[in-house]
Amino acid sequence: QLQLVESGGGLVQAGGSLRLSCAASGRTFSSYAMAWFRQAPGKEREFVAAISWTGISTYYADSVKGRFTISRGSAKNAVYLQMNSLKPEDTAVYYCAARYGGVSSGGYDYWGQGTQVTVSS
């Protein structure tokens, strides 16, 4: 079983930055793509960004392209989301997810507990 734990959420003013972290443990992590999703109050969970096992391929939702950057740690068992130029509409609970195989916006099997990001106007 793969465990994912997010950290780094908080309250920030519009235009500010936050860096989310996700640490993975519990099993061999080879060949797992990782991603970030978010869910705002009253809305469905939506895809934010994904990164391949190698870290070479990345994929972003249009709403965050150019503002957010996903990356992996050198040991491949951590993933980060650097969020710049934050907007109030970025307010949500952010979830880390993992899937065996290639980078994708869906089909993730493992999920973290989430971390709250609140952007004030």
Side-chain angles (χ1 to χ4, degrees):
Q1 189 73 8
L2 185 65
Q3 289 87 39
L4 304 174
V5 179
E6 304 97 333
S7 60
L11 174 64
V12 64
Q13 288 189 330
S17 298
L18 277 176
R19 187 181 191 233
L20 303 184
S21 300
C22 173
S25 63
R27 62 174 298 161
T28 301
F29 205 52
S30 177
S31 299
Y32 277 79
M34 296 191 74
W36 289 95
F37 289 75
R38 66 187 182 186
Q39 186 167 20
K43 296 187 177 181
E44 293 188 353
R45 186 169 58 195
E46 65 174 358
F47 169 78
V48 175
I51 189 166
S52 62
W53 157 248
T54 61
I56 294 175
S57 299
T58 57
Y59 181 35
Y60 295 93
D62 288 343
S63 59
V64 306
K65 216 172 276 185
R67 300 188 298 123
F68 290 10
T69 302
I70 189 170
S71 61
R72 294 189 82 129
S74 57
K76 302 291 193 291
N77 61 345
V79 66
Y80 308 98
L81 186 68
Q82 178 66 43
M83 305 185 294
N84 299 329
S85 302
L86 282 161
K87 305 174 182 180
E89 51 263 43
D90 294 318
T91 295
V93 177
Y94 283 71
Y95 297 91
C96 176
R99 69 185 296 269
Y100 184 80
V103 64
S104 172
S105 62
Y108 287 81
D109 302 307
Y110 300 95
W111 295 85
Q113 83 289 349
T115 186
Q116 177 70 46
V117 171
T118 302
V119 184
S120 62
S121 56

